[in-house]
Amino acid sequence: MEELYREESGTSTQRKIFAVIALLMIASLYWHEWTWLQEHRRFDMLGWGMDTVLLALWIWRVAFGYTLILYKDMKLEVISHGLGFIKRSYVVDLTRTESFTDKYVKSFFRKTAIKHYIHRYNSLDENPQRLLVFTEGKKNKLAGLLFKSSDEFVRVLRKEMPDKFIQL
């Protein structure tokens, strides 16, 4: 497949600082659970479980990078890569696109029939969040791909599908 445009997710120094602060807060929660365990000799499953969920959420939002590839045959591929060994791909057939926007406004899109959102972005990326709405499956249910990209990526996508763009 021939590529039209390729883009890697970026990082921001300010957002890295916030991510480190969040990780330190999660580490302090683990430390609290450890000291409570040492003092009371009882394992708090809920506390350790919540800390682990927060750590997993932090890893998902920070430790993964994304590559957006727009192909000439009307396909968009989002490749997730992180932790040195995990790599997965999600492909959207752009011929099934209902609309896309350069700014995701949660309150606006809550009123739509989109039931399935696919999150493919890194929180460290300072690019704005975008939304691509498409139909999926045999029943043509609406799904939304949330991603972060540069204005240049949106410009190329808009050039390929000018009638599908919604200005918010």
Side-chain angles (χ1 to χ4, degrees):
M1 292 188 284
E2 191 176 346
E3 292 182 14
L4 269 178
Y5 193 81
R6 176 185 283 255
E7 183 172 293
E8 296 281 334
S9 59
T11 58
S12 160
T13 304
Q14 181 182 12
R15 288 176 181 247
K16 282 182 182 178
I17 292 169
F18 286 129
V20 169
I21 291 169
L23 185 60
L24 290 173
M25 290 172 71
I26 293 169
S28 71
L29 290 172
Y30 273 111
W31 180 254
H32 172 74
E33 293 301 330
W34 176 253
T35 57
W36 196 88
L37 176 66
Q38 295 300 313
E39 187 177 314
H40 295 93
R41 300 282 185 218
R42 283 195 336 230
F43 183 77
D44 181 15
M45 179 85 87
L46 182 62
W48 286 95
M50 286 300 294
D51 297 349
T52 303
V53 166
L54 287 173
L55 180 62
L57 184 61
W58 184 90
I59 290 169
W60 174 57
R61 296 297 297 266
V62 173
F64 283 84
Y66 297 90
T67 304
L68 300 169
I69 306 171
L70 187 59
Y71 294 105
K72 281 190 175 181
D73 62 346
M74 296 299 286
K75 299 233 186 294
L76 172 64
E77 182 177 20
V78 183
I79 301 170
S80 312
H81 43 86
L83 302 177
F85 61 93
I86 297 174
K87 187 175 181 179
R88 67 182 186 162
S89 175
Y90 189 82
V91 178
V92 177
D93 181 2
L94 294 177
T95 60
R96 300 185 73 170
T97 301
E98 293 293 319
S99 64
F100 70 96
T101 182
D102 61 346
K103 183 171 41 172
Y104 172 63
V105 180
K106 190 174 190 176
S107 61
F108 177 79
F109 287 100
R110 273 225 168 146
K111 300 170 188 167
T112 63
I114 302 171
K115 300 292 183 214
H116 179 221
Y117 285 93
I118 301 112
H119 298 260
R120 295 291 186 267
Y121 61 89
N122 185 318
S123 291
L124 300 180
D125 193 346
E126 61 187 349
N127 284 316
Q129 203 172 30
R130 320 294 186 163
L131 176 67
L132 179 85
V133 179
F134 60 99
T135 57
E136 68 177 356
K138 292 180 181 178
K139 294 184 179 180
N140 289 326
K141 296 214 176 208
L142 285 179
L145 175 64
L146 289 165
F147 62 98
K148 289 188 175 185
S149 70
S150 66
D151 292 336
E152 178 64 21
F153 184 84
V154 172
R155 188 189 65 72
V156 173
L157 190 59
R158 192 173 179 179
K159 185 179 173 186
E160 292 298 307
M161 300 182 301
D163 56 326
K164 304 290 185 177
F165 182 72
I166 297 175
Q167 182 73 44
L168 292 180

